[in-house]
Amino acid sequence: MTFPMTRLRRLRRTSALRGLFRETDLSPDRLVLPLFVIPGAGVRQEIPSMPGHARLSVDLVVAECEEAMALGLGGVILFGIPGHKDAKGSGAWDAQGVVPRAIRAVKKAAPDLSVWADVCLCEYTDHGHCGVLRDGEVDNDETLTLLANAAQAYADAGADVVAPSDMMDGRVGEIRERLDDHGHGNTVIVSYAAKYCSAFYGPFREAADSAPKSGDRRGYQMDPANANEAIHEVSEDLAEGADAVMVKPALPCLDVIRLVKSTFNAPTAAYQVSGEFAMLEAAAANGWIDRRRAVLETLTGIRRAGADAILTYFAKDAARWLQ
Ligand code: PBG
């Protein structure tokens, strides 16, 4: 059967018909809100390149999380900006650091929310790289222990999910073993498995003051030209015990999200990163796009590509629009 018997427009005629046969759902419980935690109390520092987002002290993070829970979000992911940085990023596993303190407070105040902790050293190192440096290069194997230290500190504090974003080889296995050895067999690992060396992390690095002081991240983050390598990364992380895998950034990598989902059929997340957020906000502020429609279209596209969960700075707005 073909035209004129077949008319695809028939099912598009009314909202009810479109709703019945819509292929992709978007709901607040699919969304994770990223938050930046700083020392102090009552402190809110706006992030110029991320309108509406700010670095927040623990008490204000708690207030955000109560709101996030009320909106029905699936979770929050915490990034710490410590008062003091050093060569090894030792603030990353300080039990009294901002992230463990925030985790403890949020678990108490917003128990329905899943609390994720990003595991990486770049916010904590004075040189801004995601691992320790040896002769100017990030030393993979020496970094693994430090990442496991951080993951353990967050699991000790009660994090539901630890999410390593450093791109060292072998970190998922190292973290799984450490967690299991310390009574954290139920702590979930969502690995940033296919994390590309992307220009779209710019606003985040401003927010976290985590841009590398020398060089770049090409020696550990993936080349945006590669997709087969993403399959290899994901298969390694799943074999090492990742419960779910992430593709990042999202919009420039929709093909990778689809490829990963189709190949492994594993729980898959995608991160709509700071530069994607900034780009949409800037265009909307200029009146060049309809903010709400554009944001929901990107989130739907990311879901359609195969992401189960989406980390997005639009999580709260999207939840309000979807209610
Ligand atoms: C830490 C980390 C980064 C992001 C998430 N975790 C920055 C980076 O790799 O440089 C980026 C998130 C965003 O841009 O929103 N390694």
Side-chain angles (χ1 to χ4, degrees):
M1 263 218 295
T2 181
F3 179 83
M5 257 115 78
T6 300
R7 287 185 183 270
L8 292 168
R9 287 182 54 189
R10 276 188 206 114
L11 284 178
R12 295 181 197 142
R13 247 190 63 246
T14 72
S15 172
L17 287 170
R18 287 192 297 272
L20 283 170
F21 296 104
R22 182 163 295 128
E23 298 175 42
T24 307
D25 285 323
L26 188 61
S27 52
D29 55 2
R30 299 274 179 190
L31 305 178
V32 176
L33 174 69
L35 294 171
F36 299 98
V37 198
I38 50 172
V43 191
R44 179 183 175 94
Q45 299 172 349
E46 300 296 335
I47 303 162
S49 54
M50 301 181 70
H53 285 268
R55 305 181 195 95
L56 304 170
S57 54
V58 171
D59 52 326
L60 299 187
V61 165
V62 166
E64 271 302 289
C65 292
E66 284 167 342
E67 204 186 335
M69 185 173 83
L71 286 167
L73 295 186
V76 292
I77 181 163
L78 304 178
F79 296 93
I81 303 148
H84 167 80
K85 306 194 185 211
D86 62 24
K88 286 199 147 188
S90 57
W93 58 91
D94 176 2
Q96 294 312 316
V98 285
V99 168
R101 289 204 291 120
I103 294 168
R104 288 190 289 267
V106 172
K107 284 310 294 178
K108 222 176 276 167
D112 295 350
L113 217 53
S114 72
V115 176
W116 301 32
D118 183 85
V119 176
C120 194
L121 302 184
C122 65
E123 298 111 83
Y124 300 91
T125 52
D126 50 16
H127 46 73
H129 277 288
C130 301
V132 281
L133 295 180
R134 181 167 294 275
D135 305 323
E137 265 191 59
V138 173
D139 188 292
N140 191 89
D141 298 14
E142 215 181 304
T143 299
L144 297 181
T145 314
L146 310 184
L147 293 167
N149 291 348
Q152 188 189 339
Y154 308 147
D156 284 344
D160 299 291
V161 177
V162 292
S165 67
D166 52 281
M167 290 302 281
M168 298 303 119
D169 287 315
R171 91 271 211 216
V172 172
E174 184 92 8
I175 290 171
R176 184 72 272 160
E177 192 179 321
R178 178 75 74 85
L179 294 178
D180 289 351
D181 286 350
H182 290 81
H184 296 306
N186 284 330
T187 306
V188 170
I189 299 178
V190 179
S191 75
Y192 290 69
K195 174 172 174 175
Y196 288 88
C197 192
S198 169
F200 290 97
Y201 308 151
F204 174 98
R205 291 181 190 170
E206 183 194 12
D209 184 26
S210 66
K213 302 274 181 294
S214 63
D216 52 43
R217 303 208 201 291
R218 286 177 221 266
Y220 40 104
Q221 297 180 347
M222 282 177 58
D223 183 338
N226 297 352
N228 288 331
E229 190 186 357
I231 296 185
H232 204 159
E233 280 284 359
V234 168
S235 72
E236 286 283 314
D237 284 8
L238 290 172
E240 288 176 33
D243 300 286
V245 291
M246 199 195 299
V247 175
K248 176 187 172 194
L251 221 46
C253 298
L254 292 177
D255 60 323
V256 179
I257 298 171
R258 167 49 51 202
L259 186 64
V260 165
K261 191 62 180 178
S262 304
T263 307
F264 298 96
N265 211 10
T268 303
Y271 198 144
Q272 183 179 49
V273 300
S274 58
E276 299 178 69
F277 170 80
M279 199 161 59
L280 286 160
E281 288 290 7
N286 276 293
W288 294 337
I289 55 170
D290 176 326
R291 182 171 182 270
R292 173 179 170 153
R293 284 189 57 206
V295 168
L296 290 176
E297 185 176 328
T298 60
L299 295 174
T300 303
I302 295 163
R303 284 270 299 131
R304 190 190 63 233
D308 302 298
I310 306 174
L311 291 74
T312 173
Y313 299 94
F314 292 113
K316 285 201 307 181
D317 278 335
R320 283 188 202 102
W321 296 328
L322 293 168
Q323 263 160 8

